[in-house]
Amino acid sequence: MATATKKTKAAEALYDREKEYSVEEALGILKKLPNAKFDESVDMSLRLGVDPKHADQMVRGAIVLPHGIGKAVRVAVFAKGEKEKEARDAGADVVGAEDLVEKIQGGWMEFDSTVATPDLMGQVGRLGKVLGPRGLMPNPKLGTVTFDVSRAVREVKAGKVEFRVDKAGNIHVPVGKKSFAEQNLVANTLALLEAIVRAKPSASKGQYLRSVTVSSTMGPGIHVDVQRVANLFKKAQ
């Protein structure tokens, strides 16, 4: 028979696995849980009442979190001419056009996000099979295909996160680090929840938010009361 570790017992003493908490309560509990030997990421997982098999029920978007995600983001930009200089001045980690496309085709993937100017999307499109499955393809709906590359790069660097429902109707997205002040984690989480509520497809019927859970990298999932969240953002729907 497996014996519960000290950390598990300490965690179980802080909350009820079957209970649903407010966002503030859930993150307050998460902050009190035993720490790992590194600064854990704090993630939010949602199950939505949508069927992603239908294009009109896809949920996808992006938002710049008020307090970032506590991670240095490496940005690759597809641009040339004046836009190349603009991207570099904004803090892009690597900038290029055809040369960058070829570099990525050769297996180089040392970046976390991409931005592209519209005139280069014909070339960038060749990377669809490489970047698409990783969620790294520039997308005009997410503001990453634009001539305003300076703004796009600054937003990504500042903590812009993208969310997209998977085939099972779930969304997993980071909201910060465990070392963040509790109020900053709450602000990030509420901002992200509002963005996801606003992204509700008109074709989605019935209960949209089925479940919401917050957790740290090494910690247990803490259930959030979805009814409280729905009431909080009722006007956003």
Side-chain angles (χ1 to χ4, degrees), residues 27-87:
L27 290 169
I29 292 168
L30 184 148
K31 286 284 291 180
K32 293 175 184 175
L33 293 173
N35 293 320
K37 294 181 179 179
F38 61 95
D39 191 7
E40 301 168 75
S41 291
V42 176
D43 303 297
M44 181 167 62
S45 299
L46 305 93
R47 184 165 62 87
L48 304 180
V50 298
D51 185 353
K53 293 178 183 177
H54 301 286
D56 60 356
Q57 292 191 49
M58 174 57 66
V59 178
R60 185 175 188 180
I63 179 176
V64 178
L65 296 180
H67 303 285
I69 58 174
K71 174 185 175 183
V73 181
R74 300 167 298 176
V75 185
V77 179
F78 299 93
K80 58 184 179 181
E82 292 183 3
K83 293 301 175 181
E84 178 179 355
K85 181 179 183 304
E86 186 179 319

Side-chain angles (χ1 to χ4, degrees), residues 46-54 56-60 164-171 196 199-210:
L46 305 93
R47 184 165 62 87
L48 304 180
V50 298
D51 185 353
K53 293 178 183 177
H54 301 286
D56 60 356
Q57 292 191 49
M58 174 57 66
V59 178
R60 185 175 188 180
R164 181 177 182 175
V165 67
D166 63 19
K167 294 179 180 179
N170 301 313
I171 289 178
I196 292 173
K200 177 183 179 182
S202 57
S204 172
K205 305 302 179 183
Q207 185 177 354
Y208 179 54
L209 295 177
R210 297 289 179 84

Side-chain angles (χ1 to χ4, degrees), residues 62 69 71-78 92-95 100 104 108-116 131 134-139 142-145 152-157 159-162:
I69 58 174
K71 174 185 175 183
V73 181
R74 300 167 298 176
V75 185
V77 179
F78 299 93
D93 296 272
V94 60
V95 186
L100 182 54
I104 293 172
W108 183 80
M109 293 293 295
E110 295 178 22
F111 53 91
D112 307 298
S113 185
T114 61
V115 173
L131 300 181
R134 295 176 170 84
L136 293 173
M137 194 70 180
N139 188 309
L142 300 178
T144 49
V145 176
V153 171
R154 287 197 304 269
E155 285 184 348
V156 173
K157 288 284 190 178
K160 185 176 185 178
V161 296
E162 299 178 5

Side-chain angles (χ1 to χ4, degrees), residues 15 17 19-31 33 40-47 171-176 185-186 188-190 192-193 211-226 229:
Y15 78 108
R17 286 186 178 183
K19 184 178 178 180
E20 293 184 337
Y21 298 88
S22 69
V23 169
E24 294 81 358
E25 290 170 337
L27 290 169
I29 292 168
L30 184 148
K31 286 284 291 180
L33 293 173
E40 301 168 75
S41 291
V42 176
D43 303 297
M44 181 167 62
S45 299
L46 305 93
R47 184 165 62 87
I171 289 178
H172 306 282
V173 65
V175 295
L185 282 174
V186 169
N188 277 359
T189 302
L190 291 177
L192 184 57
L193 280 169
S211 71
V212 178
T213 304
V214 293
S215 63
S216 59
T217 305
M218 304 299 291
I222 303 169
H223 299 295
V224 173
D225 188 331
V226 293
V229 173

